Amino acid sequence: MCLPRPRAALTGLGPKAPTDITIASMARSLILSLLFCLLGLTIGPVKAMSSLDPGLQGAVPAADPAAPGQVSGDTGLAGLVPEQHDQAPSGTPGAAPDQKDPGKTHATEGSSEHHKWTGVPLWAVLPFVVMLLCIAIIPLINEHWWENNRNRGAVCALLGIPVLIYTWSVAPSPGHVIWHTVEEYLAFIALLGSLFIISGGVVITGNLIGKPKVNTSFLFIGGVMASFIGTTGAAMLLIRPLLKTNSERRHKLHTVIFFIFIVCNCGGCLTPLGDPPLFLGYLKGVPFTWTFGLWPEWLFVCGSLLVIYFVFDVIQYRREEKLDVRKDIEHERPLVIRGGHNFLFLGGVVAAVAFSMPFGPREGVMLLMVLLAWKTTRPQYRHQNEFNFAPILEVVVVFSGIFATMIPALALLNDQGASLGVDTSFKFYWATGTLSSFLDNAPTYVSFLEMAGGITDWEPHLREHALAFTQGHAILGPHVTWDMAVAEAAKWPAKASVYIIPDHILKSVSLGAVFMGAMTYIGNGPNFMVRAIAQGSGIKMPSFFGYMGWSVLFLLPVLFAQVLLFLL
């Protein structure tokens, strides 16, 4: 299937004047802004398959120019897969060179052997496990102590530095391994930081009537925005105007809970920009446009939650006192969007990622967008948003420990993943999702990605659709089988790990990490941030297990239905 190649243009950098709007015009304005951000994703084609060698071309159905979705054998992954000159050995069409069993060639075998780390002892994973447990448990025991970045940094250094020393001592090509990790960490921080800072310059003020249709519109807009400015950016942009809109209502806890479900988590699965796990996958080589294929699951889960919320809010709205409803109507003020020009800079960040720019230039473009946004946005806009750097600084510190400690853990999972018994889409979804609920979903996603990367003995139906990827190279498409992906990936330059994973399995890992990060407060970063803002506004938020009661009652049945419909 031909996928869009992103282009973007940045014009009109001057800030816009405030505009009074209704809820309908607010929706139109924000969606139009998002469409501008998506300009880079709608112009020009990106081919879905690489130029296959002659042995593979015969296995790909010829494309009918009049039939959309088919790909001809001579199309290429423009800019992603280099022109190949080596051919598969004669007699075995589509077989990789020197490959006895095509089904047994995996990323780890098709990639550079001197970069593969085998024989990692189980105890080397302990610092990673302890790091994740610290993130999950310490804030519940002593939140004030954990809020200090010095204390967070001390924990990260205590656990991370010994792992780096160990990696340097025993890993093959340790310089490559450590630098590759540093590169991914810096790219990860650059994306989250740029989305967070730029979106912090967009402020929405006003006070609409807190009717069910208005609240549902907020959640819908946030669910769309989450995929393009990140779940954190969308949550910070919309949570305060939503709370203000419902300030006169007494029954509003459920609105914050569903906001966490939809805006802070489930809405962010359509692009790598949406949620940290997906961006880490992008850094591993998952094509930017691959996540677009998750739209049916996104639509089902978000749509189901919106319907449930609307019905629930209608019931709760009828319970409101007439005096409170009258006050709500009297206090209505149109929404005002200030700093809307920052959507141009968000579009620049989208383009930098979607263009698959290499490390360095990509982060340079992001930094430029941040500087332009900072210089052209009035300080009072950020002040009105109560903007500060504390959330992103926490990410910088905590993820330094995560990235350092997970090096041997990922090597172990890649090497021994096939022996752990997680080998179906059902198992991958619930294993990834369960751990994402209680640990941070970003490292959980990477762990199960590596586990999937260590398995070669997949069921036949899973081998019918596969994708192979590494940094700068990818092959995917509706007609790409496991063996075809193996044959192509075997010819790529041996520099970083190559992953060959069934499409269904990668979907399970991605959806499990994103959707089930909403099951607890600690599953995804924005969850706790929204909880703190809501409590600051006077809403008594439920405890850790009280929130889980909501997620088990309302979210989990929707996720079960999603698995039955799309993953079995």
Side-chain angles (χ1 to χ4, degrees):
M1 177 167 58
C2 290
L3 301 172
R5 186 179 212 175
R7 304 281 174 98
L10 296 177
T11 58
L13 301 183
K16 297 180 181 179
T19 305
D20 292 350
I21 54 176
T22 63
I23 185 63
S25 59
M26 181 194 76
R28 288 194 297 268
S29 176
L30 291 180
I31 292 175
L32 285 174
S33 299
L34 283 175
L35 290 176
F36 184 87
C37 289
L38 285 173
L39 179 62
L41 305 177
T42 58
I43 303 177
V46 169
K47 308 293 185 180
M49 294 181 62
S50 67
S51 297
L52 306 178
D53 72 39
L56 289 176
Q57 289 178 4
V60 182
D64 182 352
Q70 293 201 359
V71 184
S72 63
D74 62 355
T75 57
L77 257 180
L80 292 180
V81 179
E83 182 181 355
Q84 304 293 346
H85 300 287
D86 300 330
Q87 295 187 5
S90 59
T92 311
D98 302 323
Q99 181 183 323
K100 296 180 180 180
D101 181 0
K104 293 298 181 183
T105 296
H106 172 270
T108 55
E109 295 176 321
S111 61
S112 175
E113 285 298 324
H114 67 278
H115 289 159
K116 181 168 173 58
W117 186 3
T118 59
V120 180
L122 189 61
W123 59 261
V125 179
L126 288 178
F128 179 58
V129 175
V130 173
M131 184 73 220
L132 296 181
L133 291 176
C134 287
I135 296 170
I137 296 174
I138 293 179
L140 302 178
I141 299 176
N142 192 337
E143 185 175 359
H144 179 70
W145 186 88
W146 185 249
E147 286 176 351
N148 191 318
N149 277 326
R150 291 183 180 179
N151 297 331
R152 295 188 188 113
V155 171
C156 293
L158 182 65
L159 296 172
I161 292 177
V163 172
L164 293 176
I165 295 173
Y166 172 75
T167 300
W168 184 265
S169 302
V170 304
S173 304
H176 169 85
V177 172
I178 293 176
W179 171 245
H180 183 67
T181 301
V182 170
E183 194 175 282
E184 288 188 346
Y185 169 74
L186 294 177
F188 178 76
I189 295 301
L191 176 73
L192 292 189
S194 59
L195 293 176
F196 178 78
I197 294 171
I198 295 172
S199 63
V202 182
V203 60
I204 303 175
T205 59
N207 186 8
L208 301 178
I209 301 175
K211 293 182 177 180
K213 288 183 180 180
V214 173
N215 291 334
T216 305
S217 297
F218 264 106
L219 299 186
F220 168 74
I221 293 169
V224 174
M225 294 181 70
S227 284
F228 304 102
I229 65 172
T231 52
T232 299
M236 295 302 100
L237 182 64
L238 294 178
I239 184 58
R240 289 186 179 89
L242 178 63
L243 293 175
K244 184 65 176 177
T245 293
N246 290 271
S247 58
E248 290 82 11
R249 287 185 56 173
R250 297 187 181 186
H251 305 287
K252 52 194 173 186
L253 171 61
H254 64 286
T255 297
V256 181
I257 298 294
F258 276 83
F259 185 90
I260 294 176
F261 290 168
I262 297 171
V263 182
C264 297
N265 292 276
C266 299
C269 75
L270 290 182
T271 76
L273 303 170
D275 218 28
L278 302 182
F279 187 67
L280 289 179
Y282 170 79
L283 294 178
K284 294 289 185 182
V286 177
F288 184 91
T289 51
W290 179 83
T291 50
F292 288 178
L294 302 179
W295 72 265
E297 294 87 348
W298 171 87
L299 184 63
F300 175 80
V301 170
C302 291
S304 299
L305 290 174
L306 286 170
V307 170
I308 294 171
Y309 170 78
F310 180 77
V311 173
F312 195 92
D313 199 38
V314 167
I315 296 172
Q316 294 294 80
Y317 191 72
R318 291 173 180 171
R319 296 177 58 198
E320 299 291 342
E321 298 289 340
K322 292 183 178 180
L323 179 60
D324 294 330
V325 174
R326 190 179 303 115
K327 287 181 180 179
D328 195 14
I329 296 174
E330 292 173 354
H331 295 166
E332 181 185 13
R333 289 183 291 118
L335 291 185
V336 177
I337 300 179
R338 296 182 174 90
H341 70 288
N342 283 292
F343 284 108
L344 300 176
F345 304 122
L346 290 171
V349 174
V350 172
V353 177
F355 264 124
S356 298
M357 297 176 67
F359 176 76
R362 178 182 58 214
E363 287 66 36
V365 171
M366 293 181 186
L367 178 60
L368 177 62
M369 296 299 102
V370 169
L371 293 176
L372 290 174
W374 192 267
K375 289 292 185 181
T376 60
T377 301
R378 297 177 181 177
Q380 58 263 37
Y381 295 169
R382 286 185 287 270
H383 179 73
Q384 286 178 279
N385 261 344
E386 300 180 23
F387 174 86
N388 63 73
F389 288 98
I392 195 62
L393 289 178
E394 177 182 356
V395 171
V396 170
V397 175
V398 170
F399 273 86
S400 67
I402 290 175
F403 273 80
T405 56
M406 73 179 181
I407 295 175
L410 298 185
L412 178 66
L413 286 170
N414 189 277
D415 185 36
Q416 302 294 328
S419 64
L420 299 179
V422 181
D423 54 3
T424 66
S425 56
F426 183 87
K427 292 178 182 178
F428 265 99
Y429 182 89
W430 291 111
T432 306
T434 301
L435 288 182
S436 293
S437 299
F438 297 97
L439 305 175
D440 191 280
N441 61 354
T444 301
Y445 169 91
V446 176
S447 299
F448 281 92
L449 182 69
E450 293 291 337
M451 183 185 295
I455 299 176
T456 59
D457 190 18
W458 298 105
E459 293 292 329
H461 72 279
L462 292 174
R463 297 164 67 95
E464 294 175 359
H465 303 287
L467 69 159
F469 57 88
T470 186
Q471 288 185 332
H473 303 272
I475 176 172
L476 70 162
H479 305 299
V480 177
T481 65
W482 172 271
D483 292 341
M484 292 164 59
V486 166
E488 280 297 296
K491 299 181 293 184
W492 292 344
K495 54 175 184 177
S497 296
V498 176
Y499 300 83
I500 305 175
I501 301 176
D503 187 77
H504 230 44
I505 296 298
L506 187 56
K507 282 186 176 181
S508 299
V509 173
S510 302
L511 295 171
V514 174
F515 290 164
M516 295 194 69
M519 288 295 297
T520 70
Y521 282 136
I522 59 178
N524 199 14
N527 302 0
F528 247 128
M529 296 166 66
V530 168
R531 174 180 178 268
I533 292 172
Q535 287 190 150
S537 70
I539 298 177
K540 187 177 181 181
M541 294 296 292
S543 65
F544 180 85
F545 292 105
Y547 173 85
M548 281 191 63
W550 284 85
S551 62
V552 169
L553 182 61
F554 292 103
L555 177 61
L556 198 58
V558 173
L559 298 184
F560 266 113
Q562 174 251 318
V563 171
L564 294 175
L565 289 173
F566 298 101
L567 295 180
L568 292 183

